[in-house]
Amino acid sequence: MGNLYRVTPEDMAEAALEAAWDGGLRYYDTAPHYGMGLSERRLGAMLSTRPREEFVLSSKVGRRIVPNPGGGAGDDLDHSFAVPDATRRVWDMSADGVRRSIEESLERLGLDRLDVVYLHDPEEGPEDQGLDEAIPALVALREQGVVSAIGVGSKSDLTLARFVATGALDLVMISGRYTLLEQPAARELLPLCQEHGTSAVAVSVYNSGILASDSPSPDSSYEYGRVPREVWERAVALAETCREHGVSLPEAATHFPLRHPAIVNVTLGMRSPEQVASNLSRMQAQIPDELWEAIDAMGGDRAL
């Protein structure tokens, strides 16, 4: 919804969100970072017409969107979003920055509250400020009833483990670190989640593209860049194993994270109503136990 890599036309975005709601999806995740607030504005336009008690909404703090002096003629593709550069991101994990970011998100969304707030990619910014200021601020907001749950979202399982160890979080959002392809989060992070009663949401379960097709291409995307040969070969082997059991690679990738007891949700990015329909179909697929046994036999706890 934030024009990741290329423009998503307005009518396509609206149709995708309508299809998601009509398909029964009731958890929606966004962030100021996604398209300089475009994702929040588009999502809010749909959700503001729905009964507030019928959906769960999360957004993120850590990056605030501010005016960009002299901007407007360029784009934000250096950060992977096809939007004008009239605004820019600034890191702000201070207590005041957290509160202001939430207020600004609610204004863009046109809603009166967020259910879940994640600290977004703290390892890419002032991580210690995230620990020392942002998390205590989020805890206070939870205690005040401003938000129902707090968490951290990151591509780094080690960063997430550091935050989970504080015992302050309700949940974490794990990006790409517990997937059919690789599971480094199984070493330290997910056991810590179980120890502290912290739930986990799995995102980037297709590893940014390599697992999104039943026939992985060497030109696929991995970690938002070119796929290394050994990663592609692993994905091809997984696809062949899935095919032998009558399951597509994306179907297996969608279901795989939910095998772990700490993971309560898989969240998928969707650009069009066709992608919504495809993901709903994948989620309804029946995965035979024999496939999981075959995949487990290929080796576990991989970190490529």
Side-chain angles (χ1 to χ4, degrees), residues 185-200:
R187 300 173 187 169
E188 180 182 0
L189 173 58
L190 290 174
L192 266 177
C193 286
Q194 291 178 285
E195 177 185 339
H196 289 279
T198 305
S199 298

Side-chain angles (χ1 to χ4, degrees), residues 1 7-18 271-274:
M1 296 295 103
V7 171
T8 302
E10 200 66 35
D11 58 347
M12 179 185 292
E14 292 175 0
L17 290 167
E18 292 291 335
R271 186 187 299 271
S272 67
E274 291 78 17

Side-chain angles (χ1 to χ4, degrees), residues 83-265:
V83 295
D85 66 347
T87 55
R88 62 186 180 92
R89 302 165 184 80
V90 295
W91 288 106
D92 191 347
M93 299 189 191
S94 68
D96 181 62
V98 165
R99 289 188 290 268
R100 292 175 66 185
S101 182
I102 292 173
E103 291 171 359
E104 292 160 359
S105 287
L106 291 174
E107 184 175 348
R108 286 188 290 267
L109 287 158
L111 297 169
D112 62 354
R113 73 177 190 277
L114 295 168
D115 300 295
V116 182
V117 175
Y118 297 100
L119 180 62
H120 199 182
D121 297 331
E123 77 283 0
E124 296 183 16
E127 184 171 334
D128 287 339
Q129 186 184 45
L131 272 169
D132 298 339
E133 298 185 43
I135 295 303
L138 289 172
V139 168
L141 291 170
R142 182 180 60 192
E143 291 174 347
Q144 296 162 17
V146 176
V147 298
S148 300
I150 64 171
V152 177
S154 174
K155 296 181 285 292
S156 169
D157 55 297
L158 298 179
T159 292
L160 290 173
R162 185 183 182 201
F163 280 83
V164 169
T166 67
L169 304 185
D170 298 297
L171 69 170
V172 291
M173 180 170 275
I174 307 170
S175 179
R177 300 285 76 82
Y178 193 80
T179 72
L180 183 66
L181 187 67
E182 55 185 304
Q183 305 93 40
R187 300 173 187 169
E188 180 182 0
L189 173 58
L190 290 174
L192 266 177
C193 286
Q194 291 178 285
E195 177 185 339
H196 289 279
T198 305
S199 298
V201 172
V203 299
S204 298
V205 299
Y206 303 141
N207 286 101
S208 84
I210 184 65
L211 300 183
S213 168
D214 200 32
S215 299
S217 165
D219 297 323
S220 300
S221 173
Y222 171 75
E223 291 299 294
Y224 305 100
R226 291 191 62 84
V227 58
R229 182 173 181 82
E230 66 272 18
V231 175
W232 171 68
E233 290 175 348
R234 173 70 185 175
V236 169
L238 286 166
E240 291 174 353
T241 300
C242 290
R243 199 174 297 115
E244 290 169 0
H245 291 81
V247 176
S248 74
L249 181 64
E251 287 172 344
T254 303
H255 285 260
F256 177 84
L258 294 170
R259 299 176 68 206
H260 196 288
I263 294 181
V264 298
N265 176 276

